[in-house]
Amino acid sequence: MRTFDLAPLYRSAIGFDRLAHLLESQRTDAQPSYPPYNIELVSEDKYRIVMALAGFDRSEVEIITERDSLHITGRKQKDDTQRTFLHRGIAARDFEQRFQLANHVKVTTAAFDNGMLTIELVREVPEALKPRRIVIDGGENVQALEQRQAA
């Protein structure tokens, strides 16, 4: 099955246009396989991306977050030394890797050690968007919530 019928989603849900667009773009875009990477779920709201960047120096790697996306770019410095390879198995070519981030997912740290790039991410849902219980006929409860948000 290579296509998704999103008509039922549009009939019963509002505001999921971004999800539909994401599914459609993943279906049509070829995902690059270089460089190899892992995505780990560290805990309920923490994630880790680990990329194997053999042959790269930290000055040749750039990480940019922009709204809901993470861009990792590697630009290898040109080596003027003439070399004759009998076998070339280390692919030290330029790359660009993009990750779509869910709402409220932020990059907290990035580290580069022994050719491994590690990026830590965390989902931080603002207090105003967290679920809360509303007491029926409890007008003072709503006022307390408004006062707490104002503070």
Side-chain angles (χ1 to χ4, degrees), residues 38-135:
N38 295 333
I39 301 175
E40 302 174 36
L41 178 62
V42 178
S43 66
E44 185 178 345
D45 290 327
K46 292 185 180 182
Y47 305 90
R48 179 179 298 133
I49 299 171
V50 180
M51 298 183 89
L53 302 178
F56 279 87
D57 186 66
R58 73 179 63 230
S59 64
E60 299 170 328
V61 178
E62 181 178 51
I63 303 170
I64 298 173
T65 59
E66 184 178 351
R67 286 196 288 166
D68 57 353
S69 64
L70 170 64
H71 304 270
I72 305 167
T73 308
R75 300 281 179 245
K76 193 71 181 136
Q77 298 293 328
K78 301 300 179 212
D79 188 11
D80 295 333
T81 307
Q82 285 289 56
R83 297 179 184 182
T84 304
F85 290 99
L86 298 178
H87 171 74
R88 187 167 188 168
I90 300 173
R93 61 183 182 265
D94 294 350
F95 70 89
E96 184 172 331
Q97 187 66 259
R98 296 173 187 257
F99 297 95
Q100 286 295 124
L101 301 178
N103 291 338
H104 313 296
V105 173
K106 308 284 188 245
V107 174
T108 57
T109 61
F112 190 80
D113 189 36
N114 293 327
M116 301 296 282
L117 175 66
T118 304
I119 302 170
E120 303 287 339
L121 302 104
V122 66
R123 179 182 15 214
E124 296 175 343
V125 179
E127 282 294 321
L129 298 178
K130 288 184 179 176
R132 60 180 190 229
R133 187 173 309 277
I134 305 298
V135 178

Side-chain angles (χ1 to χ4, degrees), residues 9-51:
L9 178 68
Y10 290 133
R11 285 194 301 262
S12 61
I14 298 170
F16 287 91
D17 301 343
R18 181 173 173 253
L19 176 63
H21 177 69
L22 181 63
L23 289 172
E24 184 64 26
S25 68
Q26 291 299 318
R27 186 179 67 80
T28 57
D29 294 345
Q31 292 297 316
S33 61
Y34 177 78
Y37 63 90
N38 295 333
I39 301 175
E40 302 174 36
L41 178 62
V42 178
S43 66
E44 185 178 345
D45 290 327
K46 292 185 180 182
Y47 305 90
R48 179 179 298 133
I49 299 171
V50 180
M51 298 183 89

